[in-house]
Amino acid sequence: MSRSYDHPSYILTTFLPRHVQPAHLAIRAFNLELARIPDASPSAPVRSMRYQFWRDTINSTFAQKPVAQPVAVLLSSVLSSVHAQKNPDQGHRSSNPPPTLSKSRFLRLITTREKYSTNAPYSTLASLESYAENTYSTLLYLTLSAIPLHSLAADHIASHIGKAAGIVAVLRGIPLLAFPPPPNHHSNTSSLGGTLDTQRVQQGAVTLPLDIMAECNLKEENVFRYGAEAPGLKDAVFKVATRASDHLITARQMLRSVQEGGDVGHGFEHEGEEGHEYSPYVTEGDDDRTQLSSISSSDSGKSVEQKMEVERAFGVFMPAVPTALWLQRLEKGDFDIFKEDLRMRDWRLPWKAWLAYRRRMF
């Protein structure tokens, strides 16, 4: 499934530790099942039923009673494997239990996908970032848990990469959502009538943030009428793409700083939220209650630990590579979102990914 519908993720699988690859493929397959629901089910009631099916499937899978569905069976196998693992490198943080795949994160993916399944535009650029955090960043958190690795530095970098990837995914989908293919005439769903959400899915939509569209004086009807030549479209795409690029630049700077023995440079906005609770660093051989901040070696100990963590997590950061490549192609095409080559596979990805992995920098 990943090879056909999510080729970059399939290519990047090889850069993950072998024991993490099944989990990565299962997580991505689950995400694809959710992403394909709006296309397969233009009717709102049917979409709702499909999302509820996946909620029930996740609940039963975590209860060790998976349904007879390929992705559910794969997830069940992965859960059994991940939960049985012990992490030998977590000794410096003995107050943290070995991380496991989180059911709440799978459910968050379902809820977020369902919320935006009608292709309604995002109210603000911040709401688009929130969508990306709750989908693409969450996919990276789940993969980190499969290593297993529970790290403030790794999660923080993954958050920025996921936000960039999510924004790019929305930009890539604009031409297909604005001008959807003809409806399936064999479908039992009528193309006439229905709710506003159903009509939006069938007739096309522009999913750029409304605040950016207003700022660039871009009107949805002009996109339908003029396509790539719609006044303000390139400016709006430029502003949104710039935010994605900013997240990649931030992630790159954070990674380089940690690799050089420094800190990530700023606080993690999601620290303290569910799944992002982190215990203080403690020294090996000391009492677990003794924090490194209370001794002279605190900074160096924390830096070494973070450097080790991002090294173990680097394979999970690799989606930054295809994200950056696509943004470069968009810039080269003068931010014309309708250019045909933006929807084609980038033949450079395997080579660029290998080079990034070897250099440990995306």
Side-chain angles (χ1 to χ4, degrees):
M1 181 182 289
S2 294
R3 185 173 187 175
S4 300
Y5 297 102
D6 189 5
H7 193 254
S9 292
Y10 175 77
I11 291 293
L12 299 178
T13 302
T14 190
F15 299 103
L16 290 166
R18 187 172 297 275
H19 74 277
V20 181
Q21 293 178 9
H24 168 75
L25 292 174
I27 293 165
R28 292 290 171 167
F30 172 73
N31 180 61
L32 284 173
E33 290 284 359
L34 298 179
R36 295 167 63 190
I37 289 177
D39 294 332
S41 311
S43 168
V46 176
R47 287 200 309 273
S48 180
M49 290 173 60
R50 287 178 179 263
Y51 287 117
Q52 186 58 47
F53 164 80
W54 281 109
R55 286 191 183 91
D56 295 340
T57 298
I58 289 298
N59 286 326
S60 61
T61 300
F62 273 82
Q64 299 181 350
K65 298 178 182 179
V67 299
Q69 202 277 349
V71 174
V73 173
L74 181 57
L75 278 174
S76 178
S77 174
V78 166
L79 284 173
S80 299
S81 175
V82 171
H83 288 188
Q85 289 178 14
K86 299 295 183 181
N87 186 3
D89 292 334
Q90 289 284 333
H92 294 293
R93 308 180 75 179
S94 56
S95 56
N96 278 353
T100 59
L101 294 180
S102 166
K103 182 173 76 170
S104 64
R105 283 175 170 163
F106 282 101
L107 294 176
R108 184 184 307 150
L109 272 169
I110 298 172
T111 300
T112 306
R113 287 288 189 183
E114 183 176 20
K115 179 180 178 180
Y116 293 99
S117 63
T118 61
N119 299 329
Y122 302 90
S123 58
T124 63
L125 184 54
S127 67
L128 172 55
E129 289 179 299
S130 177
Y131 162 79
E133 169 68 24
N134 289 325
T135 51
Y136 288 84
S137 296
T138 298
L139 294 174
L140 300 185
Y141 299 148
L142 286 168
T143 310
L144 286 170
S145 296
I147 290 178
L149 179 65
H150 187 60
S151 161
L152 172 59
D155 282 1
H156 198 170
I157 294 172
S159 175
H160 285 288
I161 294 173
K163 286 175 181 175
I167 292 172
V168 162
V170 170
L171 288 175
R172 291 186 65 174
I174 287 175
L176 296 177
L177 294 178
F179 299 98
N184 180 5
H185 294 291
H186 297 286
S187 171
N188 292 327
T189 303
S190 172
S191 61
L192 299 176
T195 65
L196 178 62
D197 288 344
T198 300
Q199 294 178 18
R200 180 183 297 277
V201 171
Q202 294 174 346
Q203 297 177 6
V206 177
T207 53
L208 287 167
L210 293 178
D211 60 342
I212 299 297
M213 293 178 65
E215 185 177 336
C216 298
N217 197 27
L218 173 64
K219 299 179 180 179
E220 186 179 56
E221 58 266 28
N222 285 343
V223 177
F224 299 146
R225 184 177 301 174
Y226 303 113
E229 302 303 320
L233 177 59
K234 289 186 177 180
D235 291 337
V237 170
F238 167 77
K239 288 180 178 294
V240 176
T242 297
R243 182 61 62 89
S245 181
D246 288 344
H247 281 296
L248 281 183
I249 291 172
T250 300
R252 193 176 296 122
Q253 291 174 340
M254 292 165 61
L255 176 61
R256 182 176 292 111
S257 176
V258 172
Q259 289 173 336
E260 294 175 351
D263 199 79
V264 292
H266 62 278
F268 184 25
E269 61 180 315
H270 302 292
E271 184 176 2
E273 298 176 2
E274 182 181 2
H276 295 299
E277 303 93 353
Y278 308 97
S279 299
Y281 291 85
V282 296
T283 56
E284 183 177 16
D286 286 342
D287 187 276
D288 288 347
R289 295 168 296 176
T290 305
Q291 300 184 13
L292 279 175
S293 57
S294 66
I295 59 176
S296 60
S297 62
S298 60
D299 291 339
S300 60
K302 180 179 178 181
S303 298
V304 170
E305 186 74 12
Q306 288 185 337
K307 187 174 181 179
M308 292 170 57
E309 290 169 347
V310 298
E311 169 63 23
R312 295 179 62 215
F314 190 82
V316 182
F317 300 155
M318 291 296 285
V321 177
T323 302
L325 288 175
W326 191 87
L327 287 171
Q328 291 169 10
R329 291 160 66 193
L330 179 65
E331 182 180 13
K332 186 177 180 180
D334 194 27
F335 298 94
D336 180 359
I337 201 69
F338 284 92
K339 286 185 72 70
E340 190 68 28
D341 67 317
L342 290 176
R343 294 190 292 278
M344 297 180 180
R345 292 178 180 175
D346 195 330
W347 62 270
R348 302 173 299 167
L349 176 58
W351 162 249
K352 291 289 188 178
W354 177 83
L355 197 61
Y357 188 78
R358 183 181 181 183
R359 293 174 175 174
R360 290 299 193 272
M361 181 55 62
F362 43 79

